[in-house]
Amino acid sequence: MTDAVGSIDMPDAEDEVPEPKKARKGGKRGKKGPLGRLALFYRQVVAELRKVVWPTRSQLTTYTSVVIVFVVVMIGLVTVIDFGFQRVIKYVFG
């Protein structure tokens, strides 16, 4: 016989209580001293850097040029706006 929730023969998931797990103290890091943890960190950093896709020299040149041009344009824009505000303030306050 079944109802809207499910079978009567099968207990609901809410009725089951999982057994508590024992908490570990420290795991891998707890067993090593400070030098061991530092060595582990260094190995992980090197492993992550090997996954990086580095740009080619031409891509790097292109990206650098784009950034420099963008910064120069923004400096010009801020300078023009600054001179405009300066003239407005001088006009308003004398």
Side-chain angles (χ1 to χ4, degrees):
M1 177 177 265
T2 61
D3 56 4
V5 176
S7 174
I8 294 176
D9 299 333
M10 298 291 293
D12 292 336
E14 299 169 348
D15 296 339
E16 295 178 17
V17 178
E19 296 179 18
K21 295 181 181 178
K22 291 185 179 181
R24 295 189 324 175
K25 292 186 178 180
K28 287 183 179 180
R29 285 183 262 167
K31 297 178 184 176
K32 298 180 180 178
L35 290 178
R37 289 190 303 228
L38 188 63
L40 174 65
F41 174 74
Y42 178 75
R43 283 194 305 271
Q44 289 174 345
V45 167
V46 170
E48 288 297 321
L49 285 176
R50 286 188 179 144
K51 297 177 188 177
V52 173
V53 178
W54 298 99
T56 63
R57 184 174 292 270
S58 64
Q59 288 174 332
L60 190 62
T61 304
T62 303
Y63 298 156
T64 304
S65 303
V66 167
V67 168
I68 290 174
V69 168
F70 177 77
V71 168
V72 167
V73 167
M74 292 307 294
I75 288 173
L77 182 65
V78 169
T79 302
V80 168
I81 291 172
D82 185 48
F83 281 132
F85 281 137
Q86 180 182 2
R87 290 197 183 254
V88 168
I89 295 297
K90 280 187 178 179
Y91 178 75
V92 171
F93 294 109

